Amino acid sequence: AGSSTTFRQRAFFLLIFESALLGIYLSLDLLLFLFCLELATVALFLYLGSKDGNEQESPGQRFLLLNLIGSGCLLMAFVALYQAAGGTSHLANLLQKPMTPAHQAIWCGFFIAGVAIKGALLPWHVWCRDVEVRLEPGLLITVNGLFLPVAGYAMLRFVYALFPYGFLQLRPFFFVLAVMSLLLCCFWAWGVRR
């Protein structure tokens, strides 16, 4: 009976995770996007917790801690956008009432830091390896194919549209991050090849 309950719990968490992923990619409201992103994070954490019963330091704990930091950054950026737009969080309304260029760089940085942590972009990828070792192949494909690309999706859909001046001011940071990611991946590939 114990393994059946654990299987049912894990299946339930997996269904919540996949439903939240649909909400992430279909939402036109930033608060709904954030809610679905957090729901997917919590469901994945609970799935990992139901699988890791007795370990002292579960990989889910690091996953949750880093994702809470990312959530805080996203929430601060969303609150700033909400206040700048006069109390609306719908994407079409936010595009009609842009922030001042001085504020865009600050909140663009917070937004990008939040999605970079959640999407396991370098250098905030430390939770990814520990979590992926614990996942079954089917869920691993779902996490790598749908959950981790949320960072790129959010940057393409929201960052340039909502923070155009901030994005342009942070271009050197993106360039350094891209070169650092490329070099690190090359070193990893070289180490694996040996």
Side-chain angles (χ1 to χ4, degrees):
S3 64
S4 174
T5 304
T6 304
F7 174 77
R8 287 181 183 181
Q9 286 175 345
R10 290 174 51 210
F12 178 71
F13 297 143
L14 185 60
L15 286 174
I16 291 174
F17 175 70
E18 291 182 357
S19 300
L21 286 175
L22 284 173
I24 289 170
Y25 289 109
L26 295 177
S27 65
L28 291 175
D29 191 288
L30 283 181
L31 291 179
L32 181 62
F33 172 80
L34 182 64
F35 174 76
C36 291
L37 188 58
E38 296 310 313
L39 186 61
T41 301
V42 169
L44 189 56
F45 169 73
L46 292 173
Y47 180 87
L48 290 168
S50 69
K51 188 174 182 181
D52 288 342
N54 299 340
E55 290 188 23
Q56 286 244 334
E57 185 177 333
S58 170
Q61 291 173 347
R62 182 184 293 178
F63 168 75
L64 187 64
L65 177 66
L66 288 170
N67 276 286
L68 282 175
I69 295 168
S71 299
C73 292
L74 279 174
L75 186 61
M76 287 190 287
F78 285 169
V79 167
L81 280 167
Y82 184 81
Q83 288 177 345
T88 182
S89 62
H90 195 275
L91 186 60
N93 295 337
L94 290 172
L95 292 174
Q96 293 175 356
K97 301 174 184 176
M99 299 177 90
T100 62
H103 289 111
Q104 282 190 16
I106 297 167
W107 299 116
C108 181
F110 274 94
F111 190 92
I112 289 172
V115 295
I117 291 170
K118 290 193 164 290
L121 298 179
L122 288 173
W124 301 284
H125 67 288
V126 294
W127 63 264
C128 193
R129 180 180 49 93
D130 294 337
V131 167
E132 288 184 349
V133 168
R134 310 275 185 205
L135 298 176
E136 291 89 10
L139 185 56
L140 182 63
I141 290 170
T142 303
V143 168
N144 285 337
L146 293 173
F147 186 66
L148 294 181
V150 166
Y153 169 77
M155 285 185 200
L156 290 174
R157 183 166 185 189
F158 299 123
V159 171
Y160 190 70
L162 295 173
F163 310 105
Y165 299 109
F167 182 78
L168 293 176
Q169 291 175 348
L170 293 174
R171 277 188 303 184
F173 169 74
F174 292 134
F175 179 75
V176 168
L177 191 62
V179 170
M180 187 173 71
S181 300
L182 180 65
L183 291 175
L184 188 58
C185 289
C186 290
F187 288 132
W188 280 341
W190 184 262
V192 169
R193 186 171 174 231
R194 288 177 159 204

